[in-house]
Amino acid sequence: MTAGWFVLVAGYAVMLSWPISTVALVTLAVRYVASRRRDVVARSLRNGDGTPEHFWIIVPALNEEVVVGNTVKAALGLSGPGNTLARVLVVDDGSDDGTPDVLAAIDHPRLHVMRRELPEARKGKGEALNAAYRYIAEQTAQAGISPDKVVLGIIDGDGQGSRNILLEVSRMLRDTAIGAVQVQVRIRNRNKLLGAVQDLEFATIVNACQTLRDRLDTVGLGGNGQFTRLSALLALGDAPWSACLVEDLELGLRMHLDGVGIRYTSHASVTQQAVVDVRRLTRQRTRWAQGNLQCARYLRSLVTSKRIGLTSLAEVLHYLFSPWINALVTVFMTAAVAVAAAGLALGHPFPFLPRWHDLLASAGVWLGVTWFPGFVWALVHRYRLRDETVRRLFIAALAYPAFLLLGLVATYRAIARQATGRQAWAKTERLAEEELPAPAPDLALAA
């Protein structure tokens, strides 16, 4: 085989791997969802009844005045099995805006506000969650309640859970071998293009990946919509969440290494606001990528763990390495384009450099490969959810490749930040929304 053929085959292999993997992921996820729900019901009582009896919703809040009121009101309206109501614990992590006033205006017996002041405050979301966890653990011990029956849910300051979220989490946690559940994440403000693309990402791509991980017992926890047994957190010590920039990912890895089962469900969801400013979105994705890089310190433990099978390990490693693989592929493709340009500029001094007709044919394939996955996910979104028009979904699909390029920029920025030791982050801006009605008063405190 000549060098020219090698370059051609390698280039097409890289380009076609993306649409092929997309079709494979969609196929596996769709086939698995139908069988998994029946399997969960069949296995749920095999190890005893672990149905939760007490729920705490933790809302970490730092300068959330425009959204936290709706978040708290929505959380107070959630109910679990037997109309069990959730207590809501807001961790005000040193807010200096109107957040304290908004919270003070909500008078409800199931709402508790923990105000953290400097120097303890503003040390990251993980530390705020740890403070809430220690408070709940103390309250549970004083009440003589089994930590196996207590569940802590994390809903971000802009998050709102679906009405059935506690019922669905309870159903998943009936199996005592399961210690945590991650629900699907959706975007509320998807009327804007960036919001629509992010909802396409969360509602279809992330959902399919998490569904496949559910099959492989490698579900990752997200920062929003994670529900964990108190007993599983107690096994991790006084500070289950760390200072990692993606404390949720690290918590999931620690639980897998500890042998704790984690499940994913798309039958309940938590909605959040999209970041609709390109600069702020790049900053958010850079933080996620840098946190992913920080979790590389668990690689040795994952590889040597006897609790994680080879297939599951491969998926975990793929999850950790995928941003960096994409970055390397981008370098390869850029180099290939540079070689092609050099060939045209130099008049083909080497026989393996492409000619104009080769470039035109490759450009057609490249355009098809670039847009094909986005349109596939748009059709999946329409088929599964039916809450967006095909036109809007196709517009989001057209913008999806540019959205991925933004992710690549974030990856390179994350590498630079990690290499230079930069860890500080600015707060993600929230958008004002229509105010929700006040929660109905409790006739009896059922939580």
Side-chain angles (χ1 to χ4, degrees), residues 55-60 68-78 85-91 103 106 108-114 132 135-136 151 153 155-156 159 166 439 442 445 447:
F55 297 91
W56 287 83
I57 303 297
I58 303 175
V59 181
V68 73
N70 282 347
T71 298
V72 170
K73 293 171 186 176
L76 289 169
L78 300 176
L85 302 176
R87 296 181 186 272
V88 179
L89 173 58
V90 180
V91 186
L103 295 172
I106 305 176
H108 201 283
R110 287 186 284 109
L111 172 63
H112 177 79
V113 178
M114 176 186 292
Y135 173 83
I136 294 171
V151 170
I155 294 182
D156 284 344
L166 298 185
D442 292 340
L445 187 59

Side-chain angles (χ1 to χ4, degrees), residues 126-359:
E127 282 303 309
L129 294 177
N130 285 331
Y133 151 74
R134 289 189 287 266
Y135 173 83
I136 294 171
E138 180 182 355
Q139 294 293 307
T140 300
Q142 290 178 358
I145 299 172
S146 170
D148 287 326
K149 296 293 185 177
V150 179
V151 170
L152 280 61
I154 312 299
I155 294 182
D156 284 344
D158 63 334
Q160 296 176 25
S162 59
R163 298 291 298 180
N164 69 326
I165 194 168
L166 298 185
L167 291 170
E168 180 67 12
V169 168
S170 296
R171 186 184 66 82
M172 305 292 284
L173 288 173
R174 289 176 68 186
D175 186 348
T176 56
I178 304 305
V181 175
Q182 175 64 46
V183 304
Q184 184 179 36
V185 176
R186 294 292 309 276
I187 297 297
R188 283 198 304 279
N189 56 329
R190 51 183 186 269
N191 56 312
K192 297 181 179 295
L193 179 59
L194 269 179
V197 177
Q198 288 169 70
D199 189 61
L200 184 68
E201 174 191 36
F202 282 114
T204 59
I205 304 168
V206 173
N207 177 70
C209 290
Q210 286 281 52
T211 299
L212 181 59
R213 292 177 192 136
D214 193 57
R215 173 68 179 85
L216 299 174
D217 294 321
T218 58
V219 171
L221 291 176
N224 201 8
Q226 60 170 277
F227 290 79
T228 310
R229 286 192 205 273
L230 178 57
S231 55
L233 295 173
L234 288 170
L236 298 177
D238 195 48
W241 289 276
S242 74
C244 177
L245 292 174
V246 282
E247 75 293 325
D248 47 316
L249 171 60
E250 183 171 16
L251 177 63
L253 292 176
R254 293 182 65 192
M255 285 190 167
H256 284 304
L257 290 170
D258 208 37
V260 176
I262 304 177
R263 292 273 75 90
Y264 171 77
T265 178
S266 60
H267 296 281
S269 63
V270 60
T271 63
Q272 65 185 35
Q273 288 187 348
V275 182
V276 294
D277 177 83
V278 172
R279 181 176 58 85
R280 293 188 176 95
L281 180 60
T282 305
R283 185 175 64 201
Q284 179 199 65
R285 297 307 169 104
T286 301
R287 174 173 60 84
W288 291 1
Q290 188 174 356
N292 188 290
L293 182 61
Q294 291 173 343
C295 286
R297 64 177 177 267
Y298 288 96
L299 288 177
R300 182 176 179 181
S301 299
L302 290 167
V303 171
T304 59
S305 175
K306 296 181 180 179
R307 289 173 168 157
I308 301 177
L310 288 177
T311 305
S312 299
L313 176 63
E315 171 56 25
V316 172
L317 295 179
H318 172 265
Y319 181 70
L320 289 175
F321 283 122
S322 57
W324 321 114
I325 294 173
N326 292 338
L328 290 174
V329 169
T330 303
V331 171
F332 172 82
M333 295 299 292
T334 302
V337 172
V339 169
L344 293 174
L346 298 175
H348 301 283
F350 304 105
F352 62 85
L353 292 177
R355 299 182 183 277
W356 279 110
H357 63 85
D358 298 320
L359 291 178

Side-chain angles (χ1 to χ4, degrees), residues 368-444:
V369 165
T370 300
W371 275 304
F372 176 78
F375 284 103
V376 170
W377 292 120
L379 293 174
V380 170
H381 191 295
R382 177 64 180 175
Y383 173 77
R384 281 192 63 245
L385 302 168
R386 298 187 181 278
D387 56 5
E388 282 293 349
T389 65
V390 174
R391 177 179 176 274
R392 285 180 55 81
L393 289 170
F394 277 8
I395 292 175
L398 284 171
Y400 182 59
F403 181 75
L404 293 180
L405 286 177
L406 184 148
L408 287 172
V409 172
T411 298
Y412 292 121
R413 290 187 68 223
I415 295 173
R417 288 181 61 88
Q418 187 67 14
T420 55
R422 288 178 289 171
Q423 304 289 329
W425 288 96
K427 178 80 175 65
T428 300
E429 185 182 22
R430 307 299 191 191
L431 304 174
E433 297 179 326
E434 182 179 353
E435 185 176 354
L436 295 178
D442 292 340
L443 298 178

